[in-house]
Amino acid sequence: MTEYIFKGKTIALGVSGGIAAYKAVDLASELTQAGATVKIIMSENAVKFVSPITFQSITCQPVITDLFASNPQGRIYHISISEEADVIVIAPATANILAKAACGIADDTLSTTIVATRSAVVMIPAMNNYMWLNKATQHNLETLRERGIHIIEPEVGRLACGEEEAIGRFPKTETIIDYLKNLLTVVRGLEGKTILVTAGGTHEPIDPVRFIGNRSSGKMGYAIAEAAEARGGDVVLISGPTCLRPPYGIKVVNVETARQMKQAVLDYLPQADAVIMAAAIADFRPSEESVEKIKKEKMPKSLGLGLNPDILQMVSEKEGRRIVVGFAAESENIIESAVEKLKKKNLDLIVANNIGKPGVGFGSDLNLAILIDRSGPMGDLKTYRKSDLAGRIMDWLVGALKRDAAD
Ligand SMILES: Cc1cc2nc3c(=O)[nH]c(=O)nc-3n(C[C@H](O)[C@H](O)[C@H](O)COP(=O)(O)O)c2cc1C
C-alpha cells in the first residue's frame, strides 16, 4: 500500500444500514493502518448491523450517530467533519442513502454531513440486485454522478440475499483503497494535457461471426485512463472490445479491428500531449474477410494471414513532440527485449510485462512489470495491482511532461 498518500489525511467514513456494513470495518482498519484519521458516521440503521464500539476501537476516534451531538470544542459534528474531511466515503451506501443524497434530504447525521460538505464524496453502493437495478436507484445514481459524486460500482457475485451470481456485492477493500489513492493523489499535474490511451485487444474478422483475437481484458489501459483522469488530464480512451464498463467522465472511442484502432489513433493524435499504447493490437488479420458466414463444410483448411499496421511505430514516427509510452508483453528475456523495443520504436517509456507467470498479466488484476525509460530500467520486475502500476506510469508521465516543458 502507498501509505504516504493516506498519512495526514482525514477520511469521513459514513456507514449506512446495509448487510455489508461489517465490511466497512475492514476498510476502516486498512485506512487507519495506512495513516489516515478515520471518522465514522453511522446511520441509525447501520448501528443495527455493527456496533459503534467496533469502529471506535479500530479507528481510535469517537463514532458519530447523533445529529445533535457536538465535538469536544462544542462544534456540531456534521459541520466540523464535513469541513475537516479530505474525502467523505459512504460505505456501504444503501439505496435509501443514495435516494436521500440525490434529493438533498438531510434528516440524520449522515445525510446532513453529505449535504453540508464541499469535499469529494465517494459512495459505494451495495444491495440486492433488484434494488440496484430499480429505475429509481439508477436515476438517483445518475443524478449523483452528474453532481460530481464518485460512485464505485458494486461487483457481481454471491449476494447475502442468496443470489449466486448477481450485481450488488460490496467491492473488495483493495479496490476501494486503490480508488481513494487515485482520488487523493497529491501530484495531479496533467491539467490541460490531453492523454490518448489505447486499451484491450482487437478482433480481426474471418466472417461476420468468427474472428482472430487475443486474451487482453483491457484492464491495464482502463486503469491508466482512470489514473490520468484523476490527475486532471483530458483523456481519450480508444478501446478494443472488452467486458469493462466505460470509465465515468472519460471519452471512450470504441473500435473493433486494428485498422479501426489505427484510424482512431490518427484522428486524436494531433491534440495528444502523450500517447499510452496499452492495447494488445493483433499483429495479423485474416487476409480475406467473408461478408457471409462461412458454412462449416466450406471452411478453408488453412487461414491466409496479412500483417496489421504497426500503430506504435507509426505514432513514434509522426511529426510533433509528444510522449509515447509502449508496452512489451514478454515471457522470456523480459528486460532485454523491452529495451530493444524501446530503442527500435523510439519510445520515451516502455512497460515490460512478464506474461509467463500464472495469475498475472492478461485478464488478471495484477501485472508483473517494470518501467524502463531512456535512462534504463527503474527498479526491478515487481507484481503490481494494475491500478497501482497505472498510478506509477502517470507519476512518471507528469515528470516527463514537466522536463519537456523546461527544455
Ligand atoms: C437484514 C437487512 C439487510 C439489508 N441490507 C441492505 C443492503 O445491503 N443494501 C440496502 O440498500 N439496504 C439494505 N437493507 C434495507 C435498509 O436497511 C433500509 O433501506 C434502511 O432504511 C436503510 O437506512 P439508512 O440508509 O438510513 O442506513 C437491509 C435491511 C435489512 C433488514
Side-chain angles (χ1 to χ4, degrees):
M1 178 178 301
T2 330
E3 288 173 357
Y4 67 90
I5 292 173
F6 291 107
K7 281 229 163 74
K9 295 284 190 298
T10 299
I11 297 177
L13 178 55
V15 185
S16 59
I19 196 77
Y22 75 96
K23 295 186 177 174
V25 175
D26 184 45
L27 179 62
S29 168
E30 287 291 327
L31 290 170
T32 306
Q33 288 178 57
T37 301
V38 182
K39 303 210 167 181
I40 307 281
I41 309 160
M42 297 180 80
S43 72
E44 213 179 307
N45 288 320
V47 173
K48 295 180 182 144
F49 289 87
V50 181
S51 162
I53 195 73
T54 308
F55 284 111
Q56 187 181 314
S57 315
I58 275 170
T59 61
C60 301
Q61 294 287 327
V63 173
I64 299 111
T65 53
D66 177 6
L67 178 61
F68 293 93
S70 314
N71 74 7
Q73 288 75 44
R75 298 195 70 206
I76 299 292
Y77 266 123
H78 67 265
I79 299 294
S80 63
I81 290 194
S82 57
E83 282 173 3
E84 284 163 28
D86 293 286
V87 57
I88 298 192
V89 181
I90 315 295
T94 55
N96 182 52
I97 193 71
L98 295 175
K100 289 209 284 190
C103 296
I105 291 173
D107 65 351
D108 66 0
T109 188
L110 181 53
S111 53
T112 308
T113 308
I114 298 172
V115 175
T117 195
R118 278 162 292 155
S119 309
V121 177
V122 180
M123 302 189 89
I124 310 173
M127 62 196 70
N128 162 274
N129 50 328
Y130 294 113
M131 289 176 82
W132 170 256
L133 295 171
N134 181 288
K135 281 192 177 147
T137 304
Q138 288 301 317
H139 181 74
N140 292 331
L141 286 160
E142 221 30 61
T143 305
L144 293 167
R145 285 189 184 110
E146 274 165 19
R147 288 191 201 137
I149 305 267
H150 300 254
I151 308 285
I152 306 184
E153 303 237 338
E155 294 180 355
V156 172
R158 192 179 185 286
L159 303 185
C161 52
E163 294 281 345
E164 278 305 327
E165 189 71 4
I167 186 148
R169 250 178 101 80
F170 190 74
K172 291 182 199 73
T173 301
E174 307 93 85
T175 308
I176 302 169
I177 299 269
D178 282 345
Y179 192 94
L180 295 179
K181 270 200 278 190
N182 271 335
L183 191 71
L184 292 170
T185 304
V186 200
V187 192
R188 281 177 58 85
L190 292 182
E191 295 90 344
K193 302 288 181 198
T194 300
I195 314 299
L196 187 57
V197 183
T198 67
T202 57
H203 286 183
E204 309 298 329
I206 298 169
D207 66 15
V209 179
R210 308 169 181 101
F211 60 84
I212 298 179
N214 60 55
R215 293 182 191 279
S216 172
S217 64
K219 285 181 180 176
M220 190 65 241
Y222 276 56
I224 290 172
E226 281 170 1
E229 206 260 344
R231 283 160 179 77
D234 293 323
V235 182
V236 179
L237 173 63
I238 300 174
S239 174
T242 75
C243 298
L244 304 173
R245 260 171 226 274
Y248 196 73
I250 291 176
K251 181 179 177 58
V252 182
V253 180
N254 288 307
V255 298
E256 203 175 323
T257 65
R259 282 172 294 172
Q260 288 166 0
M261 187 164 285
K262 174 186 157 193
Q263 191 50 52
V265 169
L266 282 177
D267 289 346
Y268 288 95
L269 198 60
Q271 67 212 60
D273 296 285
V275 186
I276 325 286
M277 298 282 293
I281 300 154
D283 294 312
F284 306 100
R285 65 171 184 274
S287 40
E288 277 176 42
E289 178 189 344
S290 168
V291 186
E292 306 296 340
K293 183 183 171 195
I294 304 171
K295 298 261 181 257
K296 203 171 163 185
E297 50 283 4
K298 291 197 178 152
M299 189 60 87
K301 292 245 171 350
S302 60
L303 207 57
L305 295 175
L307 260 185
N308 267 333
D310 185 338
I311 306 177
L312 187 55
Q313 185 80 45
M314 183 192 79
V315 166
S316 66
E317 283 169 3
K318 274 269 168 214
E319 263 177 41
R321 174 64 191 147
R322 60 186 73 79
I323 304 273
V324 183
V325 178
F327 276 69
E330 308 285 350
S331 53
E332 53 183 349
N333 300 328
I334 318 285
I335 296 177
E336 296 78 359
S337 312
V339 169
E340 202 179 305
K341 184 168 175 183
L342 175 109
K343 287 185 185 149
K344 193 170 153 218
K345 309 230 165 173
N346 195 23
L347 306 177
D348 296 281
L349 179 80
I350 192 154
V351 184
N353 300 283
N354 183 342
I355 51 156
K357 288 256 155 60
V360 294
F362 288 127
S364 158
D365 289 331
L366 304 174
N367 240 353
L368 179 54
I370 180 169
L371 305 191
I372 305 171
D373 69 6
R374 291 182 185 179
S375 43
M378 292 173 239
D380 298 313
L381 260 171
K382 241 178 87 176
T383 303
Y384 295 97
R385 291 183 59 74
K386 285 183 175 167
S387 51
D388 209 6
L389 183 60
R392 278 162 202 269
I393 298 167
M394 287 306 109
D395 288 346
W396 175 90
L397 180 62
V398 169
L401 285 166
K402 267 201 195 124
R403 284 192 293 280
D404 252 27
D407 282 349

